[in-house]
Amino acid sequence: MTRSSHDINRRTLMFGAAAVSIASVAAPAFASVPESGGKKVVVIILRGAMDGLSLLPKIDDPNIHEHRASLVDAKAVPLSDGFALHSALPNLAAMYQAKEAAFVTAVAGPYRERSHFEAQDLLECGSAHGVMNDGWLNRALQKAPAAYSAVSIGPVQPLIVRGRAEITSWSPPMLPEASDDTLARLMDLYQKDEVLKTSLTEALGADKVAGKSDPGAMMGMGGGRGGPGQYVPLLQAAGKFLSQPNGPEIAVVSLDGWDTHTAQNQNLQQRFTQLDLAIKTLKTTMGETWNKTALFAVSEFGRTVRVNGGQGTDHGTASTIVLAGGAIKGGRMFGDWPTLKPAALFENRDLAPANDARSVFKGVLREQLGWAPSDLDGAIFPDSASARAMPNLV
Amino acid sequence: MSLVQGAIAANRFGMGAKPGEIDAAASDPRGWLKAQIKPDAALVSGDGLKTTEQAFQDERDAQRMIVGQLGRPNARPQGNTRPQASPAAQSSDMQTANDQAGVQTGAQAGGQAGKGAQLRTPQQQARQMAQRQARDELNGEIDARTKHALETSDSFSERWARFWSNHFTVAAKNRQLIGLAGPYEREAIRPHVYRSFGELLGSASFHPAMLIYLDANKNFGPSTDAAKARKVGLNENLAREILELHTMGVGSGYTQADVTEFARALTGWTVGGPQTMRLLAGGGLGQGRAFRQGGFGAGQGQAFRASLQQADAYLGKAVFVDALHEPGARTIVGKTYKAEGKLQAAAVLDDLARSRATAKHISTKLARHFVSDTPPDNAVKKLEAVYMKSGGDLSAMARACIDLDEAWGETALKFKSPDELLISVGRSAGQDAAFGRDARTVYASLAQQPFGAQAPVGWPDDGASWSGADAVMKRLQWANSVSQRIMVSGSPNDFLNRALGPTASEATRTAVSRAETAQQGFTLALMSPEFQRR
């Protein structure tokens, strides 16, 4: 193979070799001067509709057992305000006690239908009606108060990061690498191909930063598909990107598999464990940078309050947003609670959407990284002035 | 005679030019494609592969063996009984197979939480053997499907079949579906892709794999005695996805109430097996679980065993169980369907297949597949008209796609999905070059494992989903490994000519011919803008 002792510097060499070729590309992904004061935002998208009522049951709501007795975790850890956290997330529970985690309850985007794919598209493009071709995070970068950058972790480019601003992406390598000379020639060949040129340029920068994941650590955590540590390498990479000098301000990660139509308790036991380990890994990898980090984990919608025919739940409306990181004003519950009284349920089946997810996104973006309210209400989240930024999250 | 049009026929409409195909197609490219529209052109031989019913029977036999040999479900090994093979070795084999297959198997992974841990009971070993076997079978399905795509002379039909297989996605997302996803595609999709859309819709919707994948077997008429006794009810999953993904399309006018009503109409449709028979015999669902775990409880005598024998006749078949069907008329998308048992859902499917919204949804997806990610309205409208006029005849739709002038532009606009890229390289340079020793690893490394779509919507059909920085880097790493093992006659430029004909750009030809080594030339040819698109 072509791997050799100059491995560490080979990408740097490559950039030297190809300097003429890539001169026309916009600013390299990681050249920004840190103007954020080292503050970071992590977006975790939980795809498939995470059951917020299982994650964080309101155990003192008099109706919860009537609706879904078999889905309430008996070992859930009481936190505050009558809410308890599912017992598969001990690390998150500890963060809540240490005031570096919080939750937004009964929260949903403006979408009121129940299609996963449409809901995810709307969640990611930030529009109340009508899917747009670019994501809100991409538009946010175009309006950023300083030269912020973002990294998307994973093999597929999600809508939230698509658009005019350049966003780099990365996922763990599995195959041998091409030589620097081949890369330089390929870069030449891509001069007239914006799509491939942009992607390859970003990939080369990203590869240099993420380095190699640690297989030993992955195995110890039960890495591999389906295992509790399935997402550990992704979050390790996110942590490395964010905590390097001049690293990006924002990272996006997607965790799949939340569509629990059947056998929900078993499925969620596994998913929650993965989510808990993922957040813990991020914290560990980021070191001191964690103290200035605000993370939110959000799903496209919630699930029905009542149990369905297969000990699962069907597509619903409001769910729960997880907030974590040293910058979060943690140990608190945010948002109104609509109750689980039958009359209070949305369309007599779902937890009612008492809080707007966009308010949470705006609150974090504004207070953590200083976006202008007018941009948040307009270009970034169109026609969203009624969803006011949620205060005091960070 | 146009070599450019020949290359477009073989690469954009076919799965990639085999040596000589561009020349063969050049004199009459559209005729060359239409000649591939034959009822059996997309069939994959089932030799050495299981049918759906066999998959169910083998699963039953495996369970019975565990039960028969070992009695109670959680029996521990007696005395000095030790596993024959080294459990640790087995465990790591499984891990390898699991990683290579790259399909999520929650139950399995749960069992492996402690890597290298001893397998405590013979049951666990037997279960692991069964899991391993299911995975081998899935690999067999992937190999057969790959081989067919690489070898067929009717590769337009293969593209056509894969389009419909993706439209009606069933993913191998758990242990049961690992054994069913392959048979489903061979049985419910491939034989029907040139019949009417309505027939294809019916064969896909009522195949056991789809019924399980979208939880129709957990969808019970709430007012039936069986449902009341077990406190179970509707599961909307299949109804919703048929409306949203398979027929009318999201935002086309149906409501939540339509979804729920359609779910009620679908109640009763399930998969034959012990659980279903027990429901019929007046038992509950919980006993199905007990059966699977081998627990023949006390008090279940002759009648119970007789019902199990009866169950054998229906094992692995889609069945309609009246006792689980919600009685009454249903109103769906403005039309009332009278109570007529299993015909009720079929009547709904019939109307959905005829609906104008469905025609538009299908036509848009086809135009996106053959023209561009943002197909012109005109192209969609032409397909829609053919759909409505022909009653959704899929042969007519295939010919209409071939006849779309919009799809014959000289610039390749469609960025190949990993699957398309791999098959096209395999067709031009051979299976070994494209896949090396292990096709599954290659599929997984490019993030498109056959039968591994993450959601019922299937794989994306747009360039933006596949051309991100990381994806391009993975393609480059793969291309680099291909160029190390490629064994074709001639130079990289000859390869470029055979694969792309005159559609390779001057810049690509120059870069390839100036390459430092043949290996580098192949890497550049495979990664060239023209080869990455179709």
Side-chain angles (χ1 to χ4, degrees):
Chain A
M1 291 314 317
T2 52
R3 283 223 176 108
S4 62
S5 56
H6 69 278
D7 213 15
I8 294 164
N9 291 319
R10 54 200 295 269
R11 297 299 180 222
T12 318
L13 291 174
M14 187 269 140
F15 271 115
V20 177
S21 307
I22 61 171
S24 60
V25 182
F30 301 115
S32 58
V33 180
E35 293 179 59
S36 65
K39 291 182 180 176
K40 309 289 178 181
V41 169
V42 180
V43 182
I44 298 180
I45 304 177
L46 307 173
R47 294 179 191 277
M50 188 269 289
D51 185 30
L53 286 175
S54 285
L55 177 82
L56 190 76
K58 178 130 171 87
I59 49 177
D60 70 350
D61 190 304
N63 297 100
I64 192 164
H65 291 282
E66 159 201 338
H67 293 313
R68 48 160 56 209
S70 61
L71 298 184
V72 179
D73 178 20
K75 292 179 288 183
V77 182
L79 296 181
S80 64
D81 306 276
F83 291 97
L85 184 65
H86 194 286
S87 57
L89 301 109
N91 293 301
L92 191 58
M95 288 180 199
Y96 188 91
Q97 307 299 359
K99 301 202 186 306
E100 55 183 46
F103 299 90
V104 185
T105 61
V107 61
Y111 178 71
R112 291 291 169 269
E113 303 301 316
R114 297 183 181 86
S115 156
H116 288 304
F117 319 114
E118 194 172 37
Q120 286 175 24
D121 283 351
L122 288 171
L123 174 81
E124 294 178 59
C125 75
S127 146
H129 20 253
V131 174
M132 305 159 75
N133 290 325
D134 52 3
W136 62 256
L137 186 52
N138 193 290
R139 291 195 303 278
L141 285 181
Q142 296 170 36
K143 297 278 182 188
Y148 294 160
S149 64
V151 59
S152 164
I153 306 288
V156 174
Q157 190 93 315
L159 176 59
I160 187 172
V161 299
R162 288 193 212 157
R164 270 193 296 136
E166 284 185 31
I167 291 189
T168 199
S169 62
W170 182 90
S171 77
M174 295 175 74
L175 289 165
E177 292 173 30
S179 73
D180 297 343
D181 182 52
T182 304
L183 292 171
R185 286 164 190 261
L186 204 50
M187 199 59 95
D188 271 337
L189 184 54
Y190 287 170
Q191 277 319 292
K192 289 182 181 161
D193 191 316
E194 285 302 322
V195 171
L196 287 168
K197 181 174 70 179
T198 307
S199 291
L200 187 61
T201 308
E202 289 171 5
L204 295 177
D207 227 25
K208 191 170 65 173
V209 174
K212 307 215 167 10
S213 53
D214 179 357
M218 279 166 62
M219 290 323 249
M221 295 227 232
R225 277 186 170 270
Q230 179 174 346
Y231 298 112
V232 163
L234 299 185
L235 276 297
Q236 271 176 346
K240 282 185 196 172
F241 273 108
L242 294 174
S243 53
Q244 65 174 320
N246 296 342
E249 284 72 26
I250 303 165
V252 181
V253 185
S254 292
L255 310 187
D256 294 338
W258 298 91
D259 196 18
T260 49
H261 282 285
T262 62
Q264 173 163 306
N265 286 343
Q266 293 93 305
N267 285 322
L268 284 184
Q269 177 74 30
Q270 186 185 13
R271 295 291 162 219
F272 287 152
T273 304
Q274 289 174 338
L275 177 62
D276 192 54
L277 268 182
I279 294 175
K280 182 196 170 196
T281 299
L282 185 70
K283 175 178 175 171
T284 312
T285 311
M286 291 183 86
E288 287 189 5
T289 314
W290 175 257
N291 298 333
K292 292 183 171 183
T293 295
L295 166 159
F296 55 86
V298 59
S299 199
E300 69 266 29
F301 46 66
R303 310 195 66 83
T304 48
V305 170
R306 301 185 185 96
V307 190
N308 73 7
Q311 280 304 309
T313 49
D314 290 320
H315 301 183
T317 304
S319 185
T320 301
I321 289 180
V322 178
L323 299 165
I328 294 289
K329 288 183 182 155
R332 291 191 294 163
M333 299 292 164
F334 291 94
D336 297 331
W337 179 251
T339 82
L340 295 170
K341 286 183 193 134
L345 299 185
F346 179 68
E347 295 183 355
N348 187 33
R349 56 181 268 159
D350 306 336
L351 178 61
N355 308 287
D356 195 314
R358 295 172 300 176
S359 303
V360 181
F361 307 157
K362 287 181 183 181
V364 171
L365 289 185
R366 193 184 71 189
E367 294 180 27
Q368 181 75 347
L369 289 173
W371 261 277
S374 56
D375 286 335
L376 288 171
D377 291 347
I380 302 173
F381 298 100
D383 305 324
S384 68
S386 60
R388 296 219 179 120
M390 197 174 270
N392 301 318
L393 296 175
V394 295
Chain B
M1 175 89 183
S2 161
L3 285 171
V4 171
Q5 302 285 297
I8 291 172
N11 289 327
R12 189 174 305 159
F13 286 90
M15 296 291 290
K18 285 204 288 189
E21 277 194 340
I22 293 176
D23 288 330
S27 61
D28 177 14
R30 297 186 188 199
W32 183 77
L33 289 167
K34 287 177 188 173
Q36 298 178 24
I37 302 176
K38 298 173 285 195
D40 58 353
L43 297 185
V44 167
S45 161
D47 288 353
L49 303 172
K50 288 180 182 175
T51 64
T52 297
E53 288 172 32
Q54 281 165 350
F56 274 91
Q57 285 161 10
D58 288 358
E59 168 78 4
R60 174 203 58 195
D61 293 346
Q63 296 293 347
R64 282 187 184 167
M65 200 177 73
I66 296 171
V67 172
Q69 288 181 348
L70 303 161
R72 293 165 52 77
N74 294 315
R76 302 224 164 212
Q78 299 291 312
N80 289 327
T81 310
R82 304 300 301 174
Q84 296 281 314
S86 153
Q90 272 189 17
S91 173
S92 82
D93 277 2
M94 278 303 299
Q95 184 70 52
T96 307
N98 199 7
D99 289 345
Q100 286 171 351
V103 178
Q104 290 193 7
T105 52
Q108 186 171 326
Q112 294 177 346
K115 181 166 162 59
Q118 296 281 312
L119 294 170
R120 286 172 305 138
T121 68
Q123 262 93 358
Q124 285 170 325
Q125 291 176 54
R127 207 158 285 138
Q128 217 173 58
M129 288 294 286
Q131 284 165 1
R132 186 175 189 172
Q133 198 180 343
R135 192 157 296 285
D136 284 348
E137 282 155 13
L138 179 68
N139 291 342
E141 293 282 356
I142 292 173
D143 287 344
R145 181 184 201 265
T146 302
K147 188 162 178 284
H148 175 79
L150 295 178
E151 293 176 355
T152 181
S153 314
D154 300 323
S155 77
F156 171 77
S157 285
E158 182 59 17
R159 174 175 295 287
W160 191 249
R162 285 173 181 229
F163 174 87
W164 292 110
S165 180
N166 193 48
H167 182 77
F168 291 107
T169 287
V170 166
K173 70 170 187 176
N174 60 36
R175 190 161 77 84
Q176 190 173 25
L177 287 165
I178 283 173
L180 298 180
Y184 162 81
E185 186 186 85
R186 285 184 293 110
E187 296 166 3
I189 303 295
R190 290 178 176 273
H192 306 282
V193 295
Y194 289 128
R195 303 188 67 86
S196 73
F197 178 78
E199 281 177 72
L200 180 61
L201 173 65
S203 74
S205 306
F206 292 137
H207 188 279
M210 183 67 88
L211 294 173
I212 291 168
Y213 179 58
L214 293 178
D215 304 317
N217 59 338
K218 313 252 167 55
N219 182 30
F220 304 101
S223 70
T224 60
D225 291 343
K228 281 185 193 157
R230 297 303 305 171
K231 296 190 168 63
V232 294
L234 290 181
N235 186 310
E236 298 173 351
N237 210 8
L238 178 62
R240 180 183 308 283
E241 304 303 23
I242 287 177
L243 286 166
E244 174 182 334
L245 302 177
H246 301 161
T247 62
M248 296 176 67
V250 73
S252 60
Y254 63 89
T255 64
Q256 173 61 42
D258 292 321
V259 172
T260 310
E261 275 285 89
F262 187 22
R264 290 189 185 107
L266 281 164
T267 51
W269 280 101
T270 185
V271 181
Q275 193 170 342
T276 309
M277 293 313 294
R278 203 167 291 99
L279 275 166
L280 284 174
L285 285 172
Q287 289 166 353
R289 185 177 172 77
F291 171 79
R292 285 200 304 279
Q293 295 177 344
F296 287 95
Q300 294 174 334
Q302 292 292 335
F304 177 70
R305 284 176 192 281
S307 79
L308 286 185
Q309 280 165 11
Q310 236 185 316
D312 275 2
Y314 297 100
L315 185 65
K317 293 181 175 150
V319 295
F320 180 80
V321 182
D322 224 11
L324 303 176
H325 180 64
E326 182 73 5
R330 306 265 79 92
T331 300
I332 298 156
V333 196
K335 181 169 169 181
T336 300
Y337 296 86
K338 62 181 190 229
E340 50 178 346
K342 70 176 183 181
L343 296 180
Q344 191 177 50
V348 179
L349 287 186
D350 245 16
D351 285 338
L352 288 175
R354 284 175 225 277
S355 133
R356 187 161 278 282
T358 301
K360 186 174 181 196
H361 181 214
I362 298 296
S363 299
T364 306
K365 279 187 77 170
L366 283 171
R368 186 180 301 130
H369 189 72
F370 286 106
V371 182
S372 81
D373 293 352
T374 50
D377 284 347
N378 250 347
V380 177
K381 289 213 167 73
K382 281 184 221 170
L383 296 179
E384 245 180 289
V386 173
Y387 187 103
M388 293 310 289
K389 189 168 175 227
S390 69
D393 179 80
L394 296 180
S395 313
M397 290 300 283
R399 286 191 293 273
C401 289
I402 293 167
D403 281 332
L404 279 180
D405 292 337
E406 293 87 342
W408 290 86
E410 289 203 12
T411 308
L413 297 174
K414 290 293 291 186
F415 198 81
K416 289 178 183 172
S417 70
D419 185 66
E420 290 173 322
L421 180 67
L422 286 165
I423 297 296
S424 64
V425 172
R427 286 177 68 83
S428 54
Q431 173 158 11
D432 288 348
F435 292 98
R437 281 182 302 128
D438 183 359
R440 276 86 63 194
T441 305
V442 175
Y443 280 122
S445 68
L446 296 187
Q448 195 178 21
Q449 178 84 314
F451 308 113
Q454 290 292 317
V457 70
W459 300 109
D461 192 8
D462 66 320
S465 297
W466 297 118
S467 62
D470 181 63
V472 169
M473 199 63 190
K474 291 288 190 304
R475 284 178 187 222
L476 172 56
Q477 289 164 347
W478 161 81
N480 195 47
S481 73
V482 172
S483 65
Q484 287 168 23
R485 57 180 182 251
I486 199 164
M487 297 285 283
V488 295
S489 57
S491 68
N493 266 93
D494 296 335
F495 165 78
L496 204 56
N497 272 330
R498 280 198 302 271
L500 296 179
T503 56
S505 71
E506 207 44 51
T508 295
R509 287 173 195 285
T510 306
V512 170
S513 59
R514 284 183 191 164
E516 200 170 58
T517 60
Q519 188 205 48
Q520 187 178 61
F522 282 119
T523 302
L524 295 174
L526 295 171
M527 290 305 293
S528 68
E530 297 83 36
F531 202 93
Q532 291 292 315
R533 295 185 177 82
R534 63 174 172 92

